[in-house]
Amino acid sequence: MTAPVNFLSSVWTIAIYTWREGIRKKVLIGFLILSILVLFGAQFMTAFLTVPRSAGELETSIDVQLKMVKDICVTVISIFGALIAIFISASVVPSEIENKVVYTVLSKPIRRFQYLIGKFLGVQFIIIVNLALMAGLFFVALWVKEGVLPTLLLWSALLTYFEFLIVSSFTFAVSCACTSAVVPTILGLFIYITGNLTEYLKDVERRSGQTALWLDEWTGKLARWLYLTLPNLKHFSLKTQILFLEPNDPPRDVQMMALVIYALVYALAGYIIAYWVFRRREM
Amino acid sequence: MSAVIETEALTKVYEGAVKGQDVHALTNLSIKVDEKEIFGYLGPNGSGKTTTIKLLLGLIFPTAGRMKILGSPDIGARAVRTNIGYLPEGAYYPEFLKGEEVLSFYGHLYGMTGRDLKTRIDRVLDVVGMSRARKRTVRGYSKGMRQRIGLAQALLSDPQILILDEPTTGLDPIARKEIRDILASLRDQGKTLLISSHELLEVELISDRVGILSEGELQACGKLTDLLSDRDTEIEVSGATPDALTRLAEAGIRVGDQVDTKASLRVPGEVPLYTAIERCKAEKLALVSVSPQRETLEEFFVRIIGEDEEKRRTSQ
Ligand SMILES: Nc1ncnc2c1ncn2[C@@H]1O[C@H](COP(=O)(O)OP(=O)(O)OP(=O)(O)O)[C@@H](O)[C@H]1O
Ligand SMILES: [Mg+2]
């Protein structure tokens, strides 16, 4: 009975500590404030864009404005959320090794995989709270503007979290092999960006091989390989639906469950790699 | 007496980025630390003290050899870890936490909670003399305070073994004395202490046994009384005349400082002490004091390390 309790309580202690330390990072706070400013700014900015001349024009212009606000907000939440997720996932383990607190922590009755789970959970708390703050703000703003509960947004936020989970677990795994946050941050950004562009990779593959040059052929192979291994993060975006459906419509044409499982599998793989790297790491 | 910490042919090679740049930090180290003793672990900078300690705590992994702590080869086992308090070299603790929060964090890692944890925190803060600074954040701590909070976290679980990497480095003389007193009282409570240091005087004051390391190899290990040879004896006499002193000098007794008719004589190891005293009696000198002059740990250390370096030079 006490063994699993001890196991969980150590993991929990590390997670809470990671959370408390993480939310103090200046970069993270900076990103969050910036994104909230943009979210607010978007609400006002569009009001100055066009001056309507007739009632019909007024209606369409309001519609256009609203779409624009939505577009900006969804994009900002995705980009800033991803930046925060990548930054925090990349830094918790290297910074603790660098400031040497890891010596006293790992010499306590705690195994390395517990420590890593705790760290990973702490990172997820930060990502979730941060996403909830941004999406919550947007939710309230839309609700006030449109007068209906924008439930579609909740679905979107949920999927966005699972997108971040994929990026975060990959970044975290890389960070477990690194002595600073620089390399994992760069690779995390790479995954986030290319993961959102995998459709292009398919395009690249299709167009390659038209000349007989080896470079051309290899580019195609590389594109194909990246297409197959990289997660397709575009699937996790409900942006077009938020723009064109009613705010309280259910999401259409997305297999929620499949995407969640897809993300969880990536996250599990990320954790296993992280542990495999960290298990024999010398402090 | 049973060994609490035991290493057998423990070897650690840090692999360099390039072949041939490997660092042989520790070679075939076999030591035993017995129950209820203070073991002073000595060696010059870079001799492998911290490496040994990190190996014992599972922070790094041996290239070869075995370790046992409390008889268990699984040095990461819960039962083992709960019984080790570790103070790392240099004091690094979560900067943003208050002193008591630091202890609460580590306490939770030991699985301590609630009232137990709270009374234990009060107790260790009291032991290390940090009760008044408990509400301040670590960021604002001085070096000495960090070292004390470090010692406090090492004591949290009331462990049987304490492994302290340079516990008094960077502290003022009064703080050193205080820490030394704390360590001695811990030993008196029946704890086993492994203390690495290069503060030889200090180690000499509190250690029961010492091990001396040079370039990753153990050069000497044992009780201080066994290692340090009793070499000379100093005899103080009064009523000395220059003639008497000359005659004593001819008998192989070295004459030291003289004040009026008082003189201090040094009897080297090869002259039997009894003979020397007989001669003093014959010269009608009054004995003031007789005291053995033991080699200091520092002299011993310098000699051992010097011999080792000499050996390395000649073997090259
Ligand atoms: N992570 C590492 N990678 C490579 N070499 C290392 C590493 N850590 C220590 N060393 C080397 O191992 C040797 C022993 O170092 P160690 O830190 O154990 O010495 P020490 O006895 O604790 O010295 P000090 O008294 O200065 O603390 C040194 O030559 C050091 O340069
Ligand atoms: Mg050291």
Side-chain angles (χ1 to χ4, degrees):
Chain A
M1 182 58 209
T2 57
V5 170
N6 277 338
F7 179 91
L8 290 177
S9 96
S10 301
V11 168
W12 187 249
T13 305
I14 298 284
I16 295 295
Y17 167 72
T18 306
W19 150 264
R20 285 187 65 183
E21 192 191 24
I23 53 172
R24 278 178 172 74
K25 292 207 196 272
K26 292 202 179 63
V27 182
L28 191 140
I29 297 171
F31 278 154
L32 189 61
I33 291 174
L34 207 61
S35 64
I36 286 174
L37 283 181
V38 177
L39 288 180
F40 265 118
Q43 317 293 324
F44 300 109
M45 204 167 62
T46 49
F48 304 106
L49 285 179
T50 44
V51 184
R53 268 162 296 176
S54 66
E57 206 171 284
L58 182 72
E59 208 151 281
T60 48
S61 105
I62 284 180
D63 190 46
V64 169
Q65 279 178 25
L66 203 60
K67 280 211 172 67
M68 199 149 166
V69 171
K70 286 177 174 176
D71 194 350
I72 292 175
C73 289
V74 172
T75 311
V76 160
I77 290 176
S78 169
I79 290 179
F80 279 90
L83 282 179
I84 291 172
I86 290 169
F87 176 76
I88 198 76
S89 315
S91 61
V92 286
V93 172
S95 76
E96 192 144 302
I97 292 175
E98 194 176 344
N99 69 28
K100 301 191 177 169
V101 172
V102 75
Y103 290 177
T104 35
V105 173
L106 285 185
S107 60
K108 297 286 177 286
I110 178 171
R111 298 278 186 179
R112 289 190 177 193
F113 67 90
Q114 279 174 291
Y115 172 79
L116 271 197
I117 296 177
K119 283 278 156 203
F120 191 69
L121 276 185
V123 167
Q124 298 313 311
F125 292 166
I126 295 173
I127 296 175
I128 289 171
V129 167
N130 171 61
L131 180 62
L133 271 177
M134 293 194 295
L137 209 69
F138 185 32
F139 184 86
V140 172
L142 267 195
W143 188 12
V144 170
K145 269 206 158 87
E146 302 198 82
V148 283
L149 272 182
T151 46
L152 183 56
L153 201 60
L154 298 182
W155 290 108
S156 159
L158 184 76
L159 278 188
T160 305
Y161 168 67
F162 282 98
E163 174 187 359
F164 291 168
L165 178 65
I166 294 179
V167 177
S168 150
S169 51
F170 175 82
T171 311
F172 185 78
V174 175
S175 84
C176 286
C178 293
T179 45
S180 89
V182 178
V183 175
T185 303
I186 291 173
L187 287 180
L189 286 173
F190 173 79
I191 287 289
Y192 175 68
I193 294 167
T194 48
N196 270 299
L197 298 176
T198 49
E199 297 306 327
Y200 286 102
L201 287 172
K202 217 169 188 178
D203 236 32
V204 170
E205 189 203 343
R206 211 175 304 121
R207 278 190 236 160
S208 69
Q210 291 171 357
T211 66
L213 293 176
W214 64 269
L215 184 65
D216 187 23
E217 188 185 331
W218 280 95
T219 314
K221 279 192 180 157
L222 182 69
R224 181 180 165 70
W225 184 81
L226 282 175
Y227 179 78
L228 289 178
T229 45
L230 287 178
N232 188 342
L233 299 178
K234 258 278 173 284
H235 290 327
F236 291 86
S237 170
L238 291 184
K239 186 151 130 191
T240 37
Q241 307 205 13
I242 289 179
L243 292 187
F244 297 105
L245 296 181
E246 287 304 311
N248 54 354
D249 274 345
R252 279 184 208 156
D253 306 325
V254 273
Q255 292 171 303
M256 219 36 105
M257 241 9 244
L259 282 178
V260 169
I261 291 171
Y262 180 73
L264 287 178
V265 168
Y266 263 96
L268 186 67
Y271 178 78
I272 291 172
I273 295 173
Y275 175 62
W276 181 71
V277 170
F278 195 72
R279 194 176 54 103
R280 301 292 292 177
R281 176 153 183 192
E282 308 233 302
M283 299 296 150
Chain B
M1 250 194 285
S2 60
V4 169
I5 300 174
E6 210 177 332
T7 73
E8 207 186 307
L10 196 61
T11 299
K12 176 70 190 174
V13 180
Y14 290 109
E15 277 169 37
V18 200
K19 256 206 154 51
Q21 280 197 346
D22 294 357
V23 180
H24 293 258
L26 210 57
T27 312
N28 281 325
L29 179 83
S30 300
I31 50 168
K32 279 190 175 131
V33 179
D34 292 326
E35 209 175 15
K36 299 176 189 168
E37 71 170 355
I38 296 187
F39 186 87
Y41 197 42
L42 308 173
N45 290 128
S47 56
K49 304 182 294 293
T50 301
T51 299
T52 313
I53 289 176
K54 282 188 182 175
L55 284 168
L56 287 170
L57 286 150
L59 294 171
I60 56 178
F61 303 95
T63 311
R66 278 165 300 280
M67 299 175 274
K68 265 191 193 171
I69 297 179
L70 292 167
S72 164
D74 179 12
I75 56 166
R78 198 176 174 85
V80 172
R81 284 291 173 81
T82 311
N83 266 311
I84 303 180
Y86 166 50
L87 175 72
E89 182 179 27
Y92 307 98
Y93 304 98
E95 294 282 316
F96 65 95
L97 295 180
K98 297 185 183 115
E100 59 183 10
E101 289 173 334
V102 169
L103 296 181
S104 156
F105 167 58
Y106 289 119
H108 280 118
L109 290 181
Y110 278 117
M112 302 158 89
T113 47
R115 277 230 68 80
D116 287 352
L117 178 57
K118 207 182 158 309
T119 39
R120 192 62 203 155
I121 290 177
D122 293 346
R123 175 90 191 91
V124 291
L125 280 172
D126 190 44
V127 169
V128 301
M130 284 285 286
S131 297
R132 282 204 316 186
R134 63 187 292 169
K135 298 256 184 241
R136 287 168 53 186
T137 55
V138 173
R139 202 186 305 284
Y141 279 1
S142 71
K143 204 186 285 176
M145 293 162 92
R146 281 163 193 262
Q147 204 68 359
R148 282 168 198 263
I149 216 66
L151 192 57
Q153 63 82 27
L155 292 173
L156 257 184
S157 68
D158 197 16
Q160 250 174 285
I161 305 172
L162 284 157
I163 298 183
L164 314 175
D165 202 351
E166 305 196 10
T168 57
T169 301
L171 302 189
D172 67 51
I174 299 177
R176 273 164 197 261
K177 167 98 173 73
E178 275 178 31
I179 299 277
R180 212 159 57 223
D181 290 346
I182 295 173
L183 300 185
S185 84
L186 287 168
R187 186 249 328 264
D188 297 340
Q189 289 164 30
K191 309 224 176 290
T192 306
L193 289 87
L194 172 69
I195 302 176
S196 96
S197 179
H198 25 223
E199 304 291 337
L200 298 168
L201 217 63
E202 210 159 77
V203 171
E204 190 169 5
L205 285 171
I206 55 169
S207 297
D208 301 296
R209 286 197 314 138
V210 297
I212 298 182
L213 210 61
S214 169
E215 308 220 0
E217 290 178 36
L218 193 66
Q219 303 299 328
C221 185
K223 276 204 169 64
L224 277 174
T225 44
D226 296 341
L227 290 179
L228 307 180
S229 46
D230 292 331
R231 297 181 312 181
D232 304 355
T233 309
E234 192 169 273
I235 301 180
E236 263 190 294
V237 293
S238 66
T241 59
D243 284 353
L245 291 177
T246 321
R247 280 192 293 276
L248 285 175
E250 280 161 8
I253 295 167
R254 276 182 271 137
V255 179
D257 303 338
Q258 292 177 46
V259 185
D260 296 333
T261 63
K262 272 195 176 174
S264 79
L265 310 172
R266 220 174 162 96
V267 186
E270 51 291 359
V271 179
L273 185 57
Y274 194 68
T275 320
I277 292 176
E278 287 282 88
R279 292 213 78 118
C280 289
K281 198 177 165 196
E283 299 290 348
K284 304 212 162 27
L285 304 179
L287 283 187
V288 178
S289 71
V290 177
S291 49
Q293 293 297 301
R294 209 168 75 166
E295 187 180 31
T296 64
L297 181 56
E298 184 167 299
E299 287 164 334
F300 180 69
F301 184 80
V302 170
R303 177 157 66 85
I304 290 284
I305 300 295
E307 281 171 13
D308 181 52
E309 278 171 5
E310 189 61 42
K311 207 168 65 200
R312 274 171 212 282
R313 238 197 323 274
T314 49
S315 75
Q316 262 173 16

